[in-house]
Amino acid sequence: MEEKKHKGVSRRDFLKTIGGGAIGSAVVSTGLLDTKEAEAYPIEVVGTRRGKSAVTLKVNGKNYRVDVEHRETLAEVLRDQLGFTGTKIGCDRGECGACTVVVNGRNVYSCSHLAVWMEGKDILSIEGLGKGEKLDPLQEAFIEHDGPQCGFCTSGQIMSGKALLLRNANPTEAQVRKALSGNLCRCGNYNREVAAVVAAASKAR
Ligand code: FES
Ligand code: FES
């Protein structure tokens, strides 16, 4: 019998690709198609979504539906697809903290988390801190205390500070230092960054 072809993919080709035994039992167990019917309705492969998933990311209080490659990190999707470029990528391997965002109240390295893991989680980036023209007290404190030097690490430092203040509104200086210890500053401006977080906490009291 001449085999039917559809868009260049025959059922025989398909069976060869995925294993005839598996599809045979799938056809039987679903009860939807017997073998003859399946031959008459070959499977059409539509699009090339292999390796991609649609996920909903809640960023700064708004939901975004995005197609992400399974290998893409949260940092890449925030920057390249959603335009939140305040999240910086320094080392891209979980060492410097420049990419820090807050996920479900915890500071995380967004370069070290896949975007597909983020479905349903509450993501806060530096862009979500201020309200319109009004800066977050932490941002104001960083300005007042000269927290940014070159500024490359600043958004990550602020987000780690934010995560700390969310769980502890009244931290000691030692607690602030510990909370920022995963954020490297190549300008060595640690004392001012710590002072800014301490000041923001005392302002809020
Ligand atoms: S860029 Fe993520 S930790 Fe350095
Ligand atoms: S201010 Fe330059 S890296 Fe921290």
Side-chain angles (χ1 to χ4, degrees):
M1 185 177 80
E2 192 189 337
E3 189 182 12
K4 288 192 180 186
K5 289 228 173 197
H6 197 72
K7 297 238 178 205
V9 180
S10 71
R11 178 172 167 75
R12 185 167 298 138
D13 291 338
F14 179 71
L15 292 177
K16 264 196 251 161
T17 313
I18 68 162
I23 192 69
S25 58
V27 167
V28 170
S29 64
T30 61
L32 293 176
L33 296 175
D34 64 23
T35 306
K36 268 193 179 165
E37 286 169 330
E39 291 284 359
Y41 299 102
I43 294 167
E44 181 179 1
V45 178
V46 180
T48 52
R49 291 183 49 82
R50 198 176 302 159
K52 277 197 175 188
S53 290
V55 292
T56 301
L57 299 182
K58 186 178 176 195
V59 184
N60 303 330
K62 186 173 166 191
N63 285 317
Y64 299 87
R65 190 81 175 152
V66 283
D67 271 355
V68 300
E69 289 183 37
H70 296 167
R71 64 176 179 81
E72 279 183 298
T73 64
L74 175 59
E76 289 169 329
V77 173
L78 283 174
R79 291 176 53 83
D80 301 340
Q81 292 213 50
L82 302 180
F84 293 119
T85 53
T87 299
K88 304 301 180 196
I89 297 178
C91 64
D92 206 12
R93 57 184 59 197
E95 287 176 359
C96 73
C99 62
T100 303
V101 296
V102 178
V103 177
N104 287 356
R106 310 295 300 188
N107 48 326
V108 305
Y109 291 161
S110 59
C111 74
S112 305
H113 289 259
L114 294 176
V116 289
W117 296 342
M118 293 294 130
E119 176 96 35
K121 299 196 171 156
D122 212 343
I123 301 157
L124 180 66
S125 74
I126 189 80
E127 291 87 349
L129 289 189
K131 300 278 171 279
E133 294 296 301
K134 179 102 182 83
L135 293 176
D136 185 275
L138 251 180
Q139 293 171 304
E140 285 174 348
F142 263 71
I143 293 169
E144 283 162 17
H145 288 79
D146 287 331
Q149 295 293 306
C150 78
F152 194 78
C153 72
T154 304
S155 57
Q157 304 274 4
I158 290 176
M159 297 317 288
S160 284
K162 184 71 183 177
L164 171 65
L165 297 185
L166 286 173
R167 62 181 185 272
N168 177 3
N170 192 15
T172 62
E173 185 187 317
Q175 287 170 325
V176 172
R177 269 187 202 284
K178 190 170 177 202
L180 300 190
S181 61
N183 294 80
L184 303 185
C185 177
R186 61 191 174 187
C187 300
N189 202 30
Y190 296 107
N191 287 345
R192 290 171 191 232
E193 291 147 358
V194 169
V197 178
V198 171
S202 53
K203 240 188 200 177
R205 270 177 234 137

